[in-house]
Amino acid sequence: MSYTALYRKFRPTAFEDVKGQDHIIMTLQNQIRADRIGHAYLFCGTRGTGKTTVAKIFAKAVNCEHPVDGSPCGECEMCKSIAAGTSMNVIEIDAASNNGVDNIREIREEVTYRPTEGRYKVYIIDEVHMLSIGAFNALLKTLEEPPDYVIFILATTEVHKIPITILSRCQHYDFKRISIETITDRMKELMDTEHVDVEDKALRYIAKAADGSMRDALSLLDQCIAFYMGQKLTYDNVLEVLGAVDTDVFSKLLRKTIERDVAGVLDIVEELVMQGRELTQLAADFTWYLRNLLLVKTSDNIEDVLDVSTENMRQLQEEAQMIETDVLLRYIRIFSELSGQLRYATQKRVMLEVALIKLCTPAMETDQDSLLDRIRAVEEKVEKGFEAAANAGERVIYVNGDGGPAGYPGEGGDGQSAVRKKPELPNAIPEDVQEVVRNFRSIADEASGMVRTYLKRARLSLGGDNRLLIVLPDSLAASVVGREDHVQEIEGLIENKIGKKVDVEVRYVEEGRHFEDTFVDIAKNINMEITVED
Ligand SMILES: [Zn+2]
């Protein structure tokens, strides 16, 4: 008996079975219902998100003799012949292997003939970004004046490689990565149909590993089932097949790291390498573990959000007590950088070890940073020394100069900072922004979990158009706080607090530089004004 891969066997044949692309399905069905079908569509999105599957269902729907509410009936002759791949109306072209001008010219000649049955000839061009320039130009001619019985569906994973002239003639649909939840549910459904006994936790792990691709998820599942044919597929089995590591190992690794036990940490790496674990996957999973730990540390009632067992939860809570948020953020930063580098690295083990040693010995990292800093400071002095000295009198705020106000409280008259050139102080800080700055701590306290944590380390400055700049110590923090919904949240909190709207922009301090090198510290300035009034 031949075996059909799950992905083929359960490839959706109706719109209802396509998971995670509801916005696209709805639009397409509406077009079919209203008989307002376009002549060129562009489907883009990562692999395994359903682009060609939806294209085929669409091809069936437009040709179906009795479409039901925008979906193909699946019963009529047209539906059947398209499903069997025998219809002349649906032409699939893989642009990866047919990327020349001649291939497209062939299509242009064919296009001139009306379909002998059904309403539309549908050309599905997969991986369309692989076409040569000449081929794109040939295609463009057809797209400019397509016969009314022709539909082009172009599919691609790399939309930025498509010429703008082609893009502007297509309706554009973005296929999203499919959520872990949706993938898990779909696999659960299929495993029930197949009568395969699987642990939920195992499916969730596979869904997570598939990174938004349903096709990848089903292939991984296939692999795991084949390995444990006839047995219950457990979480441990899945880890084994995929070369992944159990959370217990991460817990051990983390505890050794917190203890700064370099030898102990390297022993664990040795053990994992001997077991043949995939180190790229390991780094990604450990980052995920740290992320969970951060959530546990910074939020209350996180149990429902995190998908971990009760015993793992207890473990995480215990570890959350053992580590400071700052340190944890540093761990996550180092490991997310590592994950990116490992993908293309040949010396994976060395890189992993170096990253772990970095975690264990913060002094090493700080040393390097401070060294770089000192070099930079010297460079700046050489480059701008004269200029800064000449202008020093004007920047009374920063210098303990004659006639100006004294230095900031707490600055301690640091002689070095007086010489270094500072960014310009704005002439006036708008009243609204001042009010936000004075209330910023209490505004930050009201922010949601992660944002609140990051805002504790934020400094404030003034941007163009009198925006409030929230400056974070690194790009990771800035990418979280700077997310559109988080910025909106902060702006909302500000409006609640002071009753006025202040625009917020999130920035970060470049690595190896100090906040004061790039930004004016308006908090200091405002505090000082208050002191003066006293
Ligand atoms: Zn039909």
Side-chain angles (χ1 to χ4, degrees), residues 303-327:
E303 284 86 347
D304 304 333
V305 182
L306 285 190
D307 179 55
V308 296
S309 64
T310 344
E311 63 196 271
N312 282 343
M313 194 60 192
R314 199 186 41 72
Q315 219 170 41
L316 282 173
Q317 277 162 342
E318 201 178 297
E319 282 155 6
Q321 300 297 318
M322 296 163 65
I323 189 168
E324 289 302 317
T325 311
D326 274 5
V327 180

Side-chain angles (χ1 to χ4, degrees), residues 60 64-67 72-79:
K60 252 196 280 184
C64 177
E65 288 158 24
H66 321 285
C73 71
E75 305 288 326
C76 67
E77 282 309 312
M78 279 311 293
C79 279

Side-chain angles (χ1 to χ4, degrees), residues 151-340:
I151 299 172
F152 281 97
I153 301 179
L154 315 179
T156 182
T157 48
E158 295 174 55
V159 70
H160 57 276
K161 290 188 181 162
I162 314 255
I164 187 85
T165 43
I166 300 274
L167 287 179
S168 64
R169 286 185 169 73
C170 298
Q171 291 183 31
H172 200 142
Y173 293 83
D174 276 316
F175 282 67
K176 288 188 272 185
R177 279 175 199 271
I178 307 168
S179 74
I180 295 177
E181 207 80 275
T182 308
I183 295 181
T184 312
D185 288 350
R186 174 69 175 165
M187 288 194 293
K188 213 179 288 178
E189 219 176 277
L190 301 187
M191 290 302 93
D192 283 347
T193 322
E194 290 280 277
H195 304 293
V196 177
D197 202 4
V198 189
E199 272 182 12
D200 284 359
K201 208 174 148 193
L203 292 182
R204 272 198 83 84
Y205 186 85
I206 294 173
K208 207 171 82 191
D211 196 24
S213 162
M214 184 72 84
R215 180 168 57 213
D216 286 0
L218 294 182
S219 313
L220 291 174
L221 182 58
D222 247 340
Q223 233 178 70
C224 295
I225 295 173
F227 222 88
Y228 289 95
M229 192 66 86
Q231 300 173 42
K232 178 174 179 153
L233 186 61
T234 64
Y235 175 64
D236 288 333
N237 296 155
V238 170
L239 292 181
E240 185 74 39
V241 176
L242 302 186
V245 172
D246 187 68
T247 44
D248 276 348
V249 180
F250 293 132
S251 171
K252 221 162 71 181
L253 194 58
L254 178 75
R255 284 166 195 244
K256 291 272 181 218
T257 309
I258 296 174
E259 290 165 18
R260 302 188 177 169
D261 175 1
V262 175
V265 164
L266 295 185
D267 278 347
I268 297 176
V269 174
E270 167 78 19
E271 207 178 297
L272 292 169
V273 170
M274 295 319 277
Q275 288 170 7
R277 301 303 188 183
E278 221 301 290
L279 297 185
T280 313
Q281 185 64 41
L282 176 86
D285 286 351
F286 189 54
T287 315
W288 191 261
Y289 185 84
L290 295 172
R291 169 258 189 198
N292 284 352
L293 191 59
L294 182 66
L295 290 184
V296 170
K297 186 149 183 76
T298 52
S299 321
D300 310 321
N301 306 323
I302 199 75
E303 284 86 347
D304 304 333
V305 182
L306 285 190
D307 179 55
V308 296
S309 64
T310 344
E311 63 196 271
N312 282 343
M313 194 60 192
R314 199 186 41 72
Q315 219 170 41
L316 282 173
Q317 277 162 342
E318 201 178 297
E319 282 155 6
Q321 300 297 318
M322 296 163 65
I323 189 168
E324 289 302 317
T325 311
D326 274 5
V327 180
L328 190 50
L329 287 172
R330 192 172 68 86
Y331 285 11
I332 293 177
R333 176 172 56 79
I334 292 176
F335 255 80
S336 42
E337 279 166 16
L338 175 72
S339 297

Side-chain angles (χ1 to χ4, degrees), residues 109-178:
E109 275 158 32
E110 265 181 40
V111 156
T112 52
Y113 303 106
R114 287 193 160 272
T116 48
E117 44 169 16
R119 292 177 63 198
Y120 290 99
K121 273 187 169 174
V122 184
Y123 289 85
I124 302 174
I125 308 184
D126 204 8
E127 304 292 345
V128 70
H129 61 271
M130 304 285 278
L131 288 183
S132 66
I133 307 257
F136 268 127
N137 285 335
L139 180 62
L140 188 60
K141 292 228 171 71
T142 320
L143 287 182
E144 275 167 346
E145 282 171 32
D148 57 3
Y149 49 81
V150 167
I151 299 172
F152 281 97
I153 301 179
L154 315 179
T156 182
T157 48
E158 295 174 55
V159 70
H160 57 276
K161 290 188 181 162
I162 314 255
I164 187 85
T165 43
I166 300 274
L167 287 179
S168 64
R169 286 185 169 73
C170 298
Q171 291 183 31
H172 200 142
Y173 293 83
D174 276 316
F175 282 67
K176 288 188 272 185
R177 279 175 199 271
I178 307 168

